[in-house]
Amino acid sequence: LGQWVLGQACRQLRAWEDAGLRGLQLAVNISALEFNRPGFPAQVREILRGSGVDPAQIELEITESLLMQSLPDLSERLGELTALGLQLALDDFGTGYSSLGYLKRLPISRLKIDRSFVAGVPGSAEGEAIIRATLSMAHDLGLDVVAEGVETEDQRDFLLSHGCGRLQGFLIARPMAAEAFADWWQACSDPGTHAPAAPL
């Protein structure tokens, strides 16, 4: 199923590109089970080759549970994936094991702040502190950040004011069919509009 999802995502991205939608990046969640399958990087390479998409436009989202594996094996597999030109994002950051050492040793390019931290801001001193600390650390390490679960304008304004320029959640868009996405993306791409990082 994981291979089929990634293949469908790549084919859809290529279809949007052929229809004239430029500058898209598509994020695909990868389960620990799928990630650990023998030959996973080779399978990803074949999917990319078959679809004809630019690998730089595909982001694989992994969870912190993956980071509990043996570091040499994990580093090797992640290195194989980034060698293909893919981007890697760490999903639900702060809810799992959160060993900060891996942020320096592994080829992660983006953190995703979990919706549980976003839900209470502004107004939750703890949530605000966690978000500010995550953003500060990520920026110092040269990592991009996406905030998940943004549902209110107050949340959006708080995040933007603290330097989080990529938002994902119902305030940005509800889940939609691929056919509806083209019109939505073109509307968001007008000058002065924040283009959200919203995986399907």
Side-chain angles (χ1 to χ4, degrees), residues 2-88:
Q3 290 184 52
W4 180 85
V5 169
L6 181 58
Q8 285 291 97
C10 289
R11 286 187 288 271
Q12 182 61 69
L13 179 58
R14 181 56 188 265
W16 282 326
E17 286 278 315
D18 291 344
L21 278 69
R22 306 299 180 192
L24 298 177
Q25 186 175 48
L26 190 60
V28 181
N29 290 94
I30 301 297
S31 71
L33 179 63
E34 187 71 21
F35 182 87
N36 286 322
R37 290 189 190 280
F40 176 66
Q43 293 164 0
V44 172
R45 182 174 60 249
E46 289 305 309
I47 290 171
L48 292 170
R49 184 178 298 161
S51 66
V53 300
D54 180 356
Q57 293 179 271
I58 299 294
E59 178 179 271
L60 300 184
E61 294 186 0
I62 62 175
T63 61
E64 285 188 294
S65 63
L66 280 174
L67 305 180
M68 293 300 289
Q69 299 178 25
S70 172
L71 186 59
D73 295 338
L74 176 63
S75 296
E76 181 179 354
R77 179 152 292 199
L78 292 176
E80 291 180 57
L81 292 170
T82 55
L84 298 175
L86 298 164
Q87 303 294 312
L88 297 177

Side-chain angles (χ1 to χ4, degrees), residues 87-109:
Q87 303 294 312
L88 297 177
L90 188 60
D91 200 12
D92 302 333
F93 180 73
T95 63
Y97 305 100
S98 298
S99 171
L100 300 182
Y102 57 64
L103 295 179
K104 293 179 61 178
R105 297 194 296 267
L106 299 177
I108 303 294
S109 58

Side-chain angles (χ1 to χ4, degrees), residues 86-172:
L86 298 164
Q87 303 294 312
L88 297 177
L90 188 60
D91 200 12
D92 302 333
F93 180 73
T95 63
Y97 305 100
S98 298
S99 171
L100 300 182
Y102 57 64
L103 295 179
K104 293 179 61 178
R105 297 194 296 267
L106 299 177
I108 303 294
S109 58
R110 180 172 294 165
L111 303 180
K112 302 193 73 179
I113 298 175
D114 187 71
R115 65 181 63 247
S116 62
F117 302 126
V118 174
V121 300
S124 165
E126 294 84 358
E128 291 182 9
I130 289 171
I131 289 174
R132 285 195 300 267
T134 300
L135 287 168
S136 177
M137 176 191 65
H139 293 157
D140 286 347
L141 292 173
L143 300 174
D144 195 12
V145 182
V146 178
E148 298 181 297
V150 180
E151 298 184 357
T152 70
E153 293 181 356
D154 285 344
Q155 291 170 341
R156 177 198 62 195
D157 294 344
F158 174 85
L159 290 160
L160 292 177
S161 70
H162 287 84
C164 184
R166 291 183 179 266
L167 312 177
Q168 176 182 328
F170 286 170
L171 181 67
I172 309 303

